[in-house]
Amino acid sequence: METIAVKMEKITKSFNDVKVLDSIEFKLKRGSIHGLLGENGAGKTTLMNILYGLYNQEDGEIFINGKKENISSPVKAISLGIGMVHQHFMLARPFSVVENVMLGRKSRRGILLDTKQTAEELKTLAEKYKMEIDPYSKIWQLSVGEQQRVEILTAMYQGAEILILDEPTAVLTPQEVDAFFETLKEMRDDGKSIILITHKLEEITSIADEVTVLRDGKMIGRRAVDSTVTKDDLTRMMVGRDVLFDFPKNTIEPGEVKYSIKNVCAKNDKGLPALKEFSLDIRENEVIGVDGNGQKELCEVLTGLRKSDSGEIILNDKKMVNKEPVYYIEQGVSHIPEDRHTTGLALNWSLKRNLILKELNKAPFVKNGLLQPKVIDKYWNETKSEYQIKSINGEEKARALSGGNQQKIILAREINLNPQVLIANQPTRGLDVSAAEYVRKKVLDARNAGTSVLLISADLEEILQLSDRIAVIFDGKLMGILPRGASTHEIGALMMGKKQEVASCEN
Ligand SMILES: Nc1ncnc2c1ncn2[C@@H]1O[C@H](COP(=O)(O)OP(=O)(O)O)[C@@H](O)[C@H]1O
Ligand SMILES: [Mg+2]
């Protein structure tokens, strides 16, 4: 039997006259896990959407099991044994697991099947691949990880022999990732061929048999993943240069406690308790990474965007509780908000103006009530070159910039204020590797300059890389504080509500 399950040759695709895939070659061996690696925007999803029949290529050919195919629709793809699980799930939330599976099947064969029998078959399949799931639970009752299992099971149920998974681990906890990888290995050993889209190098080195790297719509290389492949090799292929993964050790030790959060209680938007007697001390020159739910409310309380019910926030011996946002800015609390579109930037304002947004009534930018264009221009030009912001003249509206460049403006603005405290909420979300690296370096620079940093990130690697200590919240309470060098599993355990067993390093 043909050993190559998928062969894509010279695949080219443009959107609005912009070439996003340029003569891509892709080959998937049967019974293997193939990593498709690349930065944001490299073209990974587009290439796989073509294989799944969601888009048509302008040029190039696709062979499935050695036979040339015209994959004009997902229905065609499914009939060829190709399944795809997207980043955003496509399940019908009011329906049960088994109903969702049958919806897929009904559209394919036009027959309504017996629910009970389908549920049984589903259970067998789930057991085989170690994906525990109750066929009768409703989708809305399931965690994201469980919903993902339903998507995968649906594809398997439809007879997928080739399974495309688009950044599947993004929604999983470290423990779930382990179980998920076991499932993938099980499938591979069963002869299935799997394409794992990712931008995480660890996933390639830990599970892939082969890897294809895309960069800017071009195929950079394909190689077997054996013990000779290093993270550095993969990075160079992905980014086109070296990237610092292990940041230089911080030479400055954290100092005295500068910023204290004491017994803070606050409610979420639904009026339910989100923070329960939450306390945390952050020292000078210290980054504390925070993980777990309740983070959003915490950031809001710390920056005046949400009222707390009780508790205190103390910065340099000064109490600051339930003041207006501008008060916190004046006290030196900087904030990189989670959602840069609604709280970070004035999208219809120029980049220059956004840069000095928090200093619009202050010298040197304003004198005698008048803006000082020369001073502003000079400051803009310095910042633009330091942060490598891609802009024509700074007069463009913030709306016109890419996410990475928008984030750099916010970062420059917040860090140039020389803050006492920096609340950085998902500072690198949506950025590519190079931009993320720059943002992380800037956060560490602020730390080394004396700022107390509270870092919130869904990216555990980032937390581990930057934090002096790691605080984990569960159910609105502090579950424990882990030292630098803690493992993702220790964090994961606390995140799932397992109280800290290891010695606390809280001081
Ligand atoms: N439907 C679309 N319309 C226009 N541009 C698109 C569309 N889908 C993707 N793109 C563009 O194609 C490029 C590749 O995107 P994508 O395949 O999603 O990359 P990746 O999955 O590697 O992050 C990006 O520049 C993206 O903006
Ligand atoms: Mg993608």
Side-chain angles (χ1 to χ4, degrees), residues 15-16 20 38-47 55 166-167 197:
F15 288 116
N16 317 317
V20 300
E39 294 199 77
N40 271 328
K44 307 178 296 288
T45 300
T46 304
L47 184 68
Y55 296 145
D166 196 350
E167 312 234 6
I197 301 182

PDB file of all heavy atoms in Angstrom, residues 15-16 20 38-47 55 166-167 197, ligand 1:
ATOM      1  N   PHE A  15      -4.951  35.794  -1.240  1.00  0.00           N
ATOM      2  CA  PHE A  15      -6.164  36.481  -0.796  1.00  0.00           C
ATOM      3  C   PHE A  15      -6.007  37.939  -1.193  1.00  0.00           C
ATOM      4  O   PHE A  15      -4.981  38.547  -0.869  1.00  0.00           O
ATOM      5  CB  PHE A  15      -6.310  36.404   0.737  1.00  0.00           C
ATOM      6  CG  PHE A  15      -6.683  35.044   1.236  1.00  0.00           C
ATOM      7  CD1 PHE A  15      -5.819  34.328   2.050  1.00  0.00           C
ATOM      8  CD2 PHE A  15      -7.912  34.484   0.925  1.00  0.00           C
ATOM      9  CE1 PHE A  15      -6.168  33.079   2.532  1.00  0.00           C
ATOM     10  CE2 PHE A  15      -8.272  33.231   1.406  1.00  0.00           C
ATOM     11  CZ  PHE A  15      -7.397  32.527   2.209  1.00  0.00           C
ATOM     12  N   ASN A  16      -6.976  38.494  -1.841  1.00  0.00           N
ATOM     13  CA  ASN A  16      -6.921  39.898  -2.277  1.00  0.00           C
ATOM     14  C   ASN A  16      -5.576  40.238  -2.925  1.00  0.00           C
ATOM     15  O   ASN A  16      -4.932  41.208  -2.558  1.00  0.00           O
ATOM     16  CB  ASN A  16      -7.154  40.858  -1.099  1.00  0.00           C
ATOM     17  CG  ASN A  16      -8.291  40.397  -0.206  1.00  0.00           C
ATOM     18  OD1 ASN A  16      -9.334  39.972  -0.704  1.00  0.00           O
ATOM     19  ND2 ASN A  16      -8.083  40.449   1.094  1.00  0.00           N
ATOM     20  N   VAL A  20      -0.412  34.218  -0.114  1.00  0.00           N
ATOM     21  CA  VAL A  20      -0.176  33.745   1.247  1.00  0.00           C
ATOM     22  C   VAL A  20       0.427  32.339   1.259  1.00  0.00           C
ATOM     23  O   VAL A  20       0.960  31.904   2.275  1.00  0.00           O
ATOM     24  CB  VAL A  20      -1.446  33.802   2.130  1.00  0.00           C
ATOM     25  CG1 VAL A  20      -1.956  35.232   2.242  1.00  0.00           C
ATOM     26  CG2 VAL A  20      -2.527  32.885   1.628  1.00  0.00           C
ATOM     27  N   GLY A  38       5.073  26.963  12.223  1.00  0.00           N
ATOM     28  CA  GLY A  38       5.281  28.290  11.643  1.00  0.00           C
ATOM     29  C   GLY A  38       4.717  29.345  12.560  1.00  0.00           C
ATOM     30  O   GLY A  38       3.872  29.058  13.399  1.00  0.00           O
ATOM     31  N   GLU A  39       5.198  30.575  12.377  1.00  0.00           N
ATOM     32  CA  GLU A  39       4.702  31.675  13.190  1.00  0.00           C
ATOM     33  C   GLU A  39       3.283  32.034  12.759  1.00  0.00           C
ATOM     34  O   GLU A  39       2.813  31.591  11.704  1.00  0.00           O
ATOM     35  CB  GLU A  39       5.604  32.896  13.008  1.00  0.00           C
ATOM     36  CG  GLU A  39       6.994  32.697  13.553  1.00  0.00           C
ATOM     37  CD  GLU A  39       7.688  34.029  13.767  1.00  0.00           C
ATOM     38  OE1 GLU A  39       7.377  34.687  14.759  1.00  0.00           O
ATOM     39  OE2 GLU A  39       8.522  34.410  12.937  1.00  0.00           O
ATOM     40  N   ASN A  40       2.656  32.903  13.542  1.00  0.00           N
ATOM     41  CA  ASN A  40       1.344  33.416  13.163  1.00  0.00           C
ATOM     42  C   ASN A  40       1.400  34.000  11.762  1.00  0.00           C
ATOM     43  O   ASN A  40       2.299  34.769  11.461  1.00  0.00           O
ATOM     44  CB  ASN A  40       0.953  34.551  14.115  1.00  0.00           C
ATOM     45  CG  ASN A  40       0.227  34.020  15.315  1.00  0.00           C
ATOM     46  OD1 ASN A  40      -0.487  33.030  15.212  1.00  0.00           O
ATOM     47  ND2 ASN A  40       0.421  34.648  16.443  1.00  0.00           N
ATOM     48  N   GLY A  41       0.439  33.627  10.952  1.00  0.00           N
ATOM     49  CA  GLY A  41       0.372  34.217   9.621  1.00  0.00           C
ATOM     50  C   GLY A  41       1.246  33.524   8.588  1.00  0.00           C
ATOM     51  O   GLY A  41       1.311  33.957   7.443  1.00  0.00           O
ATOM     52  N   ALA A  42       1.907  32.447   8.973  1.00  0.00           N
ATOM     53  CA  ALA A  42       2.814  31.768   8.040  1.00  0.00           C
ATOM     54  C   ALA A  42       2.055  31.068   6.910  1.00  0.00           C
ATOM     55  O   ALA A  42       2.587  30.850   5.831  1.00  0.00           O
ATOM     56  CB  ALA A  42       3.683  30.762   8.789  1.00  0.00           C
ATOM     57  N   GLY A  43       0.794  30.703   7.178  1.00  0.00           N
ATOM     58  CA  GLY A  43      -0.009  30.053   6.142  1.00  0.00           C
ATOM     59  C   GLY A  43      -0.438  28.633   6.485  1.00  0.00           C
ATOM     60  O   GLY A  43      -0.996  27.923   5.646  1.00  0.00           O
ATOM     61  N   LYS A  44      -0.207  28.217   7.730  1.00  0.00           N
ATOM     62  CA  LYS A  44      -0.497  26.835   8.131  1.00  0.00           C
ATOM     63  C   LYS A  44      -1.973  26.495   7.978  1.00  0.00           C
ATOM     64  O   LYS A  44      -2.343  25.490   7.358  1.00  0.00           O
ATOM     65  CB  LYS A  44      -0.072  26.613   9.610  1.00  0.00           C
ATOM     66  CG  LYS A  44       1.352  27.007   9.906  1.00  0.00           C
ATOM     67  CD  LYS A  44       1.709  26.816  11.373  1.00  0.00           C
ATOM     68  CE  LYS A  44       0.922  27.690  12.337  1.00  0.00           C
ATOM     69  NZ  LYS A  44       1.267  29.109  12.327  1.00  0.00           N
ATOM     70  N   THR A  45      -2.827  27.340   8.557  1.00  0.00           N
ATOM     71  CA  THR A  45      -4.262  27.060   8.512  1.00  0.00           C
ATOM     72  C   THR A  45      -4.769  27.092   7.071  1.00  0.00           C
ATOM     73  O   THR A  45      -5.556  26.233   6.662  1.00  0.00           O
ATOM     74  CB  THR A  45      -5.036  28.081   9.384  1.00  0.00           C
ATOM     75  OG1 THR A  45      -4.565  27.961  10.729  1.00  0.00           O
ATOM     76  CG2 THR A  45      -6.525  27.817   9.357  1.00  0.00           C
ATOM     77  N   THR A  46      -4.304  28.049   6.313  1.00  0.00           N
ATOM     78  CA  THR A  46      -4.747  28.157   4.921  1.00  0.00           C
ATOM     79  C   THR A  46      -4.394  26.889   4.140  1.00  0.00           C
ATOM     80  O   THR A  46      -5.222  26.339   3.408  1.00  0.00           O
ATOM     81  CB  THR A  46      -4.111  29.392   4.247  1.00  0.00           C
ATOM     82  OG1 THR A  46      -4.435  30.554   5.026  1.00  0.00           O
ATOM     83  CG2 THR A  46      -4.620  29.579   2.838  1.00  0.00           C
ATOM     84  N   LEU A  47      -3.165  26.419   4.315  1.00  0.00           N
ATOM     85  CA  LEU A  47      -2.733  25.209   3.602  1.00  0.00           C
ATOM     86  C   LEU A  47      -3.637  24.032   3.963  1.00  0.00           C
ATOM     87  O   LEU A  47      -4.068  23.261   3.095  1.00  0.00           O
ATOM     88  CB  LEU A  47      -1.271  24.887   3.945  1.00  0.00           C
ATOM     89  CG  LEU A  47      -0.672  23.697   3.198  1.00  0.00           C
ATOM     90  CD1 LEU A  47      -0.518  24.010   1.708  1.00  0.00           C
ATOM     91  CD2 LEU A  47       0.674  23.285   3.788  1.00  0.00           C
ATOM     92  N   TYR A  55     -10.979  25.810   1.023  1.00  0.00           N
ATOM     93  CA  TYR A  55     -10.529  26.752  -0.006  1.00  0.00           C
ATOM     94  C   TYR A  55     -10.032  25.955  -1.195  1.00  0.00           C
ATOM     95  O   TYR A  55      -9.572  24.823  -1.034  1.00  0.00           O
ATOM     96  CB  TYR A  55      -9.343  27.593   0.484  1.00  0.00           C
ATOM     97  CG  TYR A  55      -9.600  28.499   1.642  1.00  0.00           C
ATOM     98  CD1 TYR A  55      -8.594  28.716   2.583  1.00  0.00           C
ATOM     99  CD2 TYR A  55     -10.802  29.181   1.796  1.00  0.00           C
ATOM    100  CE1 TYR A  55      -8.787  29.567   3.653  1.00  0.00           C
ATOM    101  CE2 TYR A  55     -11.006  30.035   2.865  1.00  0.00           C
ATOM    102  CZ  TYR A  55      -9.996  30.221   3.790  1.00  0.00           C
ATOM    103  OH  TYR A  55     -10.180  31.058   4.843  1.00  0.00           O
ATOM    104  N   ASP A 166      -5.720  21.770  14.217  1.00  0.00           N
ATOM    105  CA  ASP A 166      -5.180  23.127  14.138  1.00  0.00           C
ATOM    106  C   ASP A 166      -4.942  23.703  15.531  1.00  0.00           C
ATOM    107  O   ASP A 166      -5.886  24.037  16.238  1.00  0.00           O
ATOM    108  CB  ASP A 166      -6.136  24.025  13.336  1.00  0.00           C
ATOM    109  CG  ASP A 166      -5.452  25.316  12.888  1.00  0.00           C
ATOM    110  OD1 ASP A 166      -4.327  25.586  13.345  1.00  0.00           O
ATOM    111  OD2 ASP A 166      -6.056  26.043  12.074  1.00  0.00           O
ATOM    112  N   GLU A 167      -3.700  23.792  15.926  1.00  0.00           N
ATOM    113  CA  GLU A 167      -3.274  24.302  17.235  1.00  0.00           C
ATOM    114  C   GLU A 167      -4.130  23.728  18.364  1.00  0.00           C
ATOM    115  O   GLU A 167      -4.691  24.472  19.172  1.00  0.00           O
ATOM    116  CB  GLU A 167      -3.334  25.843  17.255  1.00  0.00           C
ATOM    117  CG  GLU A 167      -2.662  26.446  16.029  1.00  0.00           C
ATOM    118  CD  GLU A 167      -1.575  27.471  16.339  1.00  0.00           C
ATOM    119  OE1 GLU A 167      -1.258  27.643  17.525  1.00  0.00           O
ATOM    120  OE2 GLU A 167      -1.049  28.050  15.396  1.00  0.00           O
ATOM    121  N   ILE A 197      -0.848  21.079  13.655  1.00  0.00           N
ATOM    122  CA  ILE A 197      -0.430  22.463  13.407  1.00  0.00           C
ATOM    123  C   ILE A 197      -0.041  23.096  14.738  1.00  0.00           C
ATOM    124  O   ILE A 197      -0.763  22.961  15.716  1.00  0.00           O
ATOM    125  CB  ILE A 197      -1.578  23.286  12.784  1.00  0.00           C
ATOM    126  CG1 ILE A 197      -2.025  22.668  11.460  1.00  0.00           C
ATOM    127  CG2 ILE A 197      -1.161  24.743  12.595  1.00  0.00           C
ATOM    128  CD1 ILE A 197      -3.114  23.453  10.761  1.00  0.00           C
TER     129      ILE A 197
HETATM  130  N1  LIG B   1      -9.948  34.312   4.519  1.00  0.00           N
HETATM  131  C1  LIG B   1      -8.870  35.110   4.435  1.00  0.00           C
HETATM  132  N2  LIG B   1      -8.925  36.274   3.770  1.00  0.00           N
HETATM  133  C2  LIG B   1      -7.840  37.077   3.657  1.00  0.00           C
HETATM  134  N3  LIG B   1      -6.643  36.801   4.170  1.00  0.00           N
HETATM  135  C3  LIG B   1      -6.520  35.646   4.848  1.00  0.00           C
HETATM  136  C4  LIG B   1      -7.613  34.739   5.025  1.00  0.00           C
HETATM  137  N4  LIG B   1      -7.185  33.670   5.729  1.00  0.00           N
HETATM  138  C5  LIG B   1      -5.886  33.900   6.006  1.00  0.00           C
HETATM  139  N5  LIG B   1      -5.485  35.084   5.477  1.00  0.00           N
HETATM  140  C6  LIG B   1      -4.123  35.628   5.524  1.00  0.00           C
HETATM  141  O1  LIG B   1      -3.252  34.624   5.064  1.00  0.00           O
HETATM  142  C7  LIG B   1      -2.047  34.596   5.803  1.00  0.00           C
HETATM  143  C8  LIG B   1      -1.850  33.211   6.386  1.00  0.00           C
HETATM  144  O2  LIG B   1      -2.826  32.991   7.390  1.00  0.00           O
HETATM  145  P1  LIG B   1      -3.012  31.620   8.133  1.00  0.00           P
HETATM  146  O3  LIG B   1      -3.056  30.520   7.159  1.00  0.00           O
HETATM  147  O4  LIG B   1      -4.181  31.767   9.032  1.00  0.00           O
HETATM  148  O5  LIG B   1      -1.667  31.536   8.979  1.00  0.00           O
HETATM  149  P2  LIG B   1      -1.311  30.612  10.239  1.00  0.00           P
HETATM  150  O6  LIG B   1      -2.379  29.580  10.394  1.00  0.00           O
HETATM  151  O7  LIG B   1       0.030  30.058   9.919  1.00  0.00           O
HETATM  152  O8  LIG B   1      -1.250  31.540  11.413  1.00  0.00           O
HETATM  153  C9  LIG B   1      -2.167  35.686   6.842  1.00  0.00           C
HETATM  154  O9  LIG B   1      -1.511  36.829   6.378  1.00  0.00           O
HETATM  155  C10 LIG B   1      -3.651  35.908   6.935  1.00  0.00           C
HETATM  156  O10 LIG B   1      -3.925  37.240   7.313  1.00  0.00           O
END
